[in-house]
């Protein structure tokens, strides 16, 4: 049901290893999430990020929030409405799955605009889900601008997986992005190499960002990871090491540190079936004043409360 809504961002190849990526809620002081769903695919979501600052003795609070409303109809189609406080509005229609030549295809369309209706982005797309291959294609039309074609393939065959995504400006015939991923997974290990472009219109290839990640699965509850990332043509890599431990069915803790001595710690605790609390913070160990009392909070800490019904 609504397979186009289950995908990651269309131009992303994802992060196969989540030890060094997810649940580090240190960028915003507080994040609140509310989710409610029905058995037939209906869903309501609300997320609010509360950031705080202190300047000249005055305390400031800024709220960025967004809401999603999703419901199925006619037993085949799904409609989703998304709106952000910034004014962005998105209407998404999943047109269901169809069997063509004994293969399953999903079709969708969406429109992105704002509350003033001053701009429109129209998108049409299709997704193919095979036993070893996933293929996604989308055409984006913006009045007064060049059409953009985006295509992504992801293939997993045995222990090897690889994928690629590119976006092409059909008017200038210039690449907007061109990403690639290749990886290998075994019982105890996983390694992958990912390239992410600079997301700029160009007819020339650019180095972009290269990320190599290796993960060791000590057991079903413990993961260790090493990551090396380099941006641009200059060799100036950032090394990160991290670990994740599932303490029990309710609590997961994780941490990472890089060669810039930036330490991040996080925990995720299920209070009950309806409420989950995520807490994380980051310390710049190279800084003279790790705790800055001129700011609020004095540590870059993040709190996230997820509610599910």
């Amino acid at each position: 049901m609504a397979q186009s809504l289950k995908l990651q961002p269309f131009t992303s190849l994802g992060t196969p290893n989540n030890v060094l990526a997810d649940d580090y809620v240190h960028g915003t002081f507080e994040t609140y999430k509310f989710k409610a769903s029905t058995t037939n695919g209906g869903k309501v979501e609300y997320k609010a990020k509360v950031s705080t600052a202190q300047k000249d003795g005055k305390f400031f609070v800024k709220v960025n929030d967004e809401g999603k409303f999703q419901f199925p109809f006619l037993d085949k189609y799904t409609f989703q409405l998304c709106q952000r406080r910034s004014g962005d509005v998105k209407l998404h229609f999943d047109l269901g799955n169809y069997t063509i030549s004994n293969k399953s295809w999903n079709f969708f369309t969406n429109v992105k605009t704002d509350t003033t209706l001053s701009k429109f982005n129209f998108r049409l797309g299709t997704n193919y889900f095979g036993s070893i291959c996933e293929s996604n294609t989308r055409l984006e039309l913006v009045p007064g601008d060049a059409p953009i074609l985006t295509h992504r393939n992801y293939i997993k065959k045995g222990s090897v997986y690889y994928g690629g995504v590119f976006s092409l400006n059909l008017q200038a015939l210039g690449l907007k992005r061109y990403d690639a991923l290749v990886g290998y997974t075994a019982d105890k290990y996983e390694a992958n190499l990912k390239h992410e472009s600079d997301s700029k219109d160009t007819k020339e290839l650019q180095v972009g960002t290269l990320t190599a990640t290796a993960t060791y699965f000590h057991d079903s509850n413990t993961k260790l990871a090493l990551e090396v990332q380099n941006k641009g043509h200059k060799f100036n890599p950032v090394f990160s090491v991290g670990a994740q431990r599932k303490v029990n069915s309710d609590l997961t803790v994780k941490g990472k540190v890089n060669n810039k001595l930036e330490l991040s710690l996080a925990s995720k605790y299920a209070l009950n079936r309806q409420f989950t609390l995520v807490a994380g913070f980051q310390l710049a160990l190279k800084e003279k004043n790790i705790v800055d009392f001129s700011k609020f909070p004095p540590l870059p800490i993040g709190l996230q409360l997820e509610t599910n019904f």
Side-chain angles (χ1 to χ4, degrees), residues 1 16 20 44 47 65 120 165 174 206 210 245 285 294:
M1 294 181 61
L20 298 168
V44 176
K47 179 171 69 174
D65 57 356
F120 291 91
V165 56
Q206 299 176 359
L210 292 173
R245 173 70 177 173
L285 300 179
S294 66

Side-chain angles (χ1 to χ4, degrees), residues 221-237:
N221 296 320
T222 306
K223 301 178 184 178
L224 306 174
L226 168 66
E227 181 180 273
V228 182
Q229 186 176 85
N230 193 78
K231 296 184 178 182
H233 62 280
K234 293 183 179 180
F235 186 69
N236 186 25

Side-chain angles (χ1 to χ4, degrees), residues 131-132 155-162 183-186:
S131 58
I132 63 173
I155 298 171
K156 189 176 189 307
K157 193 171 184 179
S159 298
V160 178
Y161 57 87
Y162 52 95
Y184 177 85
T185 181

Side-chain angles (χ1 to χ4, degrees), residues 6 18 34-35 48-49 64 80 89 91 118 124 165 170 200 236 258 271 276 286 298 308:
K6 297 179 180 180
N18 67 353
F34 170 82
K35 298 180 182 180
K49 292 186 176 182
N64 288 315
Q80 185 186 79
V89 178
L91 304 175
S118 60
L124 302 170
V165 56
L170 295 180
K200 295 180 180 178
N236 186 25
N258 60 26
L271 301 174
T276 300
K286 277 189 175 181
N308 295 281

Side-chain angles (χ1 to χ4, degrees), residues 44-307:
V44 176
E45 295 184 12
Y46 175 77
K47 179 171 69 174
K49 292 186 176 182
V50 183
S51 57
T52 58
Q54 186 174 331
K55 185 177 181 181
D56 299 328
K58 295 182 179 180
F59 182 73
F60 299 91
V61 177
K62 181 180 179 181
V63 178
N64 288 315
D65 57 356
E66 62 181 75
K68 294 181 181 180
F69 176 67
Q70 173 182 320
F71 67 90
F73 59 98
L74 298 180
D75 297 325
K76 191 179 188 74
Y77 312 106
T78 302
F79 169 78
Q80 185 186 79
L81 168 66
C82 306
Q83 183 174 351
R84 296 177 178 172
R85 183 177 290 260
S86 61
D88 293 338
V89 178
K90 180 180 177 181
L91 304 175
H92 185 99
F93 295 90
D94 185 286
L95 303 177
N97 290 8
Y98 299 84
T99 300
I100 302 175
S101 300
N102 296 321
K103 296 181 179 180
S104 178
W105 295 84
N106 169 254
F107 296 90
F108 68 91
T109 182
N110 60 54
V111 179
K112 290 186 69 176
T113 182
D114 55 26
T115 52
T116 64
L117 302 181
S118 60
K119 59 180 181 179
F120 291 91
N121 290 34
F122 300 93
R123 292 165 172 171
L124 302 170
T126 181
N127 304 301
Y128 165 70
F129 301 97
S131 58
I132 63 173
C133 176
E134 177 186 315
S135 182
N136 323 100
T137 304
R138 182 184 74 187
L139 178 65
E140 182 172 4
L141 304 172
V142 182
D145 207 344
I148 303 298
L149 178 68
T150 300
H151 180 74
R152 175 177 62 181
N153 276 341
Y154 184 85
I155 298 171
K156 189 176 189 307
K157 193 171 184 179
S159 298
V160 178
Y161 57 87
Y162 52 95
V165 56
F166 71 87
S167 293
L168 179 66
N169 182 319
L170 295 180
Q171 180 175 308
L173 295 180
L175 285 170
K176 291 179 66 67
R177 70 180 304 124
Y178 37 92
D179 299 350
L181 170 73
V182 60
Y184 177 85
T185 181
D187 291 339
K188 288 285 187 178
Y189 304 93
E190 180 177 355
N192 58 75
L193 176 65
K194 182 166 67 170
H195 168 272
E196 295 175 288
S197 64
D198 294 328
S199 301
K200 295 180 180 178
D201 287 301
T202 178
K203 292 185 179 181
E204 299 178 358
L205 295 178
Q206 299 176 359
V207 176
T209 300
L210 292 173
T211 305
T213 306
T215 307
Y216 169 65
F217 306 99
H218 178 69
D219 54 39
S220 60
N221 296 320
T222 306
K223 301 178 184 178
L224 306 174
L226 168 66
E227 181 180 273
V228 182
Q229 186 176 85
N230 193 78
K231 296 184 178 182
H233 62 280
K234 293 183 179 180
F235 186 69
N236 186 25
V238 175
F239 300 85
S240 301
V241 293
Q244 175 177 302
R245 173 70 177 173
K246 186 176 181 180
V247 180
N248 52 48
S249 59
D250 297 326
L251 176 63
T252 300
V253 296
K254 59 197 307 180
K256 67 177 180 179
V257 64
N258 60 26
N259 58 317
K260 297 181 180 180
L261 292 183
E262 296 172 337
L263 173 66
S264 297
L265 300 172
S267 65
K268 187 172 186 178
Y269 181 68
L271 301 174
N272 50 44
R273 295 181 62 183
Q274 282 75 40
F275 297 95
T276 300
L277 179 65
V278 180
F281 68 92
Q282 185 181 70
L283 295 177
L285 300 179
K286 277 189 175 181
E287 299 293 333
K288 293 182 179 179
N289 298 320
I290 297 178
V291 180
D292 188 353
F293 288 99
S294 66
K295 299 180 180 179
F296 184 85
L299 286 174
I301 188 173
L303 298 173
Q304 177 176 302
L305 180 65
E306 296 184 7
T307 307

